Amino acid sequence: MELLLVLAGVALGLTVAVVVWAACRSSRQSRPGTDGAQEVQILVRRGYVPNRVRVRRERPVRITFDRQENGECTEWVVFPGLGVASMLPAFRRTVLEFTPHTPGEFEFRCKLGACRGHLIVTA
Ligand SMILES: [Cu+2]
């Protein structure tokens, strides 16, 4: 019985890993907005789509997070290396604006760290 529970747990873990992996493969270049800001749209649903976004440094970035789920996991998005964080209300769009000054690869993630993405800042 205990073995069955362990196997069920492993199977569930694998399923979650596959779902997260499947949601975590798209990559996109930002688009210039009408005011010169770099526009990025990110769907938040069991991860971030896309989860790799390229922007140029020293230009304003405007990221719209479209969160199509509730629950605790993706309630917050945090960019630890950029000092940016925001709450993302369920089933709403939340706009984040900032200007990256340093080139590099900056992670963003959810509250629990299960969903991750990268902002690639180029010179
Ligand atoms: Cu999460």
Side-chain angles (χ1 to χ4, degrees):
M1 189 60 194
E2 256 177 47
L3 180 64
L4 271 180
L5 279 178
V6 169
L7 287 176
V10 168
L12 180 66
L14 282 175
T15 306
V16 169
V18 167
V19 167
V20 168
W21 174 80
C24 291
R25 282 178 306 162
S26 52
S27 161
R28 205 161 300 164
Q29 178 78 44
S30 65
R31 296 179 185 191
T34 47
D35 60 354
Q38 307 173 84
E39 300 274 1
V40 180
Q41 311 277 336
I42 296 179
L43 173 69
V44 182
R45 192 165 54 200
R46 284 169 287 147
Y48 304 107
V49 182
N51 67 358
R52 288 183 76 81
V53 175
R54 286 178 176 278
V55 296
R56 307 282 297 268
R57 67 184 280 237
E58 302 297 358
R59 282 194 213 165
V61 174
R62 184 179 301 130
I63 304 181
T64 302
F65 284 95
D66 183 9
R67 184 166 177 240
Q68 291 300 318
E69 65 184 357
N70 53 17
E72 202 181 344
C73 189
T74 52
E75 192 174 34
W76 280 84
V77 64
V78 184
F79 293 71
L82 296 172
V84 174
S86 179
M87 198 181 175
L88 305 177
F91 304 106
R92 297 182 71 165
R93 291 166 185 269
T94 304
V95 180
L96 271 181
E97 291 192 20
F98 55 90
T99 302
H101 300 292
T102 316
E105 197 163 319
F106 298 92
E107 186 182 73
F108 56 94
R109 59 176 187 242
C110 67
K111 191 175 182 178
L112 305 179
C115 312
R116 292 162 192 268
H118 286 90
L119 184 76
I120 295 121
V121 180
T122 58

